[in-house]
Amino acid sequence: MASASANGPNALLVSVVLLATVCACSAISPYAAGLSEDFYHKSCPQAASIVDAYVTKFLKKDRNFAGAFNRLQFHDCWVGGCDGSVLLNSTETNQAEREAHVNFGLRGVAEIDEIKADLEHFCPGVVSCADILILAARDATAKVGGPTWTVALGRRDGVNSTALMADTNLPFPVLNFSGLVANFAAKGFGAREMITLSGAHTIGRSHCNGILPHLYNFTGRDDANDTDPAMNKNFAVFLKKLCPEGNRTNTIFIDSTANTFDRAYYKNVLQGKGIFITDSTLITNPAGKKVVTTFSKPRSSFFTEFAAGMVKMGNLGVLTGTDGEIRKTCQFVNK
């Protein structure tokens, strides 16, 4: 496995790109065509309040669902656009996105379906699963101390979902800085926006599956003691107790305050306590480290920029008008 670092010309190029996007992401992006804030005002005026009530219910049961809903939005929108395709089940002839390697341990699907069932009771055939995802991610973030943002609605649901699409589009947790920049650039996001949206790791948890490459055989020497040298040594010992070599199914919080949306994630990264390689690599680039340092401080613009990034993400590849469908249940296409 390649070391999580960016060197030479690539580092210089990435630094220039990062610095050039310092101010670009602070403004809320225009909504995609076909979306509007009052889309369900007449057809289902209680839609947003129903989603909000269910999110409150789920967070009372497990506050860490906030991270799950954030992850669902990202893993949906990054693969063919925000069309709810990440929620679809596999069939006898197709392996859906949720079966992708990069989607290991994805949570919250059943909860989204529970919201959908209630919306179908009050407003049958009106509110899309794609919109429910967007609302749930926003509401959950705000309820655990994060920012809120205005959500435009009107997305329709896609009917295509493949594991290959997910593994091709989503960033694996072993990417170095240049790899992350390239992945986000392919979706129209700058390097600063990538660091901002990485801040979603301030909430949530992960299976050990994505952490093991950071702890064992980091440089490919087939050595169990081959841990990322940039990782805090005591923290590495702690993680190895929770994630023994070869154990992919144990779970661990990915932030020291994983049930609260705050700036602790960036403080952890600066201290060598990033859970994934994609976390620790943010400070291997000088300009990247500068942004991480800025976001770690009180009164930084992290919350504002995160909200803007989530709005921009919600515009990716949306289906509107007569494209797609409004699913009756989120895990199955309509018959």
Side-chain angles (χ1 to χ4, degrees), residues 82-145:
C82 307
D83 63 352
S85 58
V86 72
L87 302 169
L88 287 171
N89 285 349
S90 294
T91 66
E92 292 182 359
T93 58
N94 178 65
Q95 193 175 45
E97 291 173 36
R98 291 198 348 250
E99 304 302 321
H101 296 295
V102 75
N103 278 331
F104 184 83
L106 203 66
R107 297 189 304 142
V109 175
E111 286 70 24
I112 296 296
D113 244 349
E114 189 174 339
I115 300 172
K116 174 63 173 175
D118 205 19
L119 284 167
E120 282 297 299
H121 173 74
F122 286 100
C123 313
V126 174
V127 183
S128 69
C129 300
D131 275 346
I132 295 172
L133 271 185
I134 298 293
L135 285 166
R138 188 272 308 273
D139 293 347
T141 300
K143 290 178 188 297
V144 295

Side-chain angles (χ1 to χ4, degrees), residues 303-319:
F303 276 35
T304 301
E305 294 188 41
F306 185 85
M310 292 296 281
V311 171
K312 181 175 178 178
M313 187 197 307
N315 288 330
L316 291 175
V318 297
L319 300 174

Side-chain angles (χ1 to χ4, degrees), residues 141-158:
T141 300
K143 290 178 188 297
V144 295
T148 189
W149 52 90
T150 302
V151 170
L153 303 166
R155 297 166 191 79
R156 290 170 63 84
D157 298 319

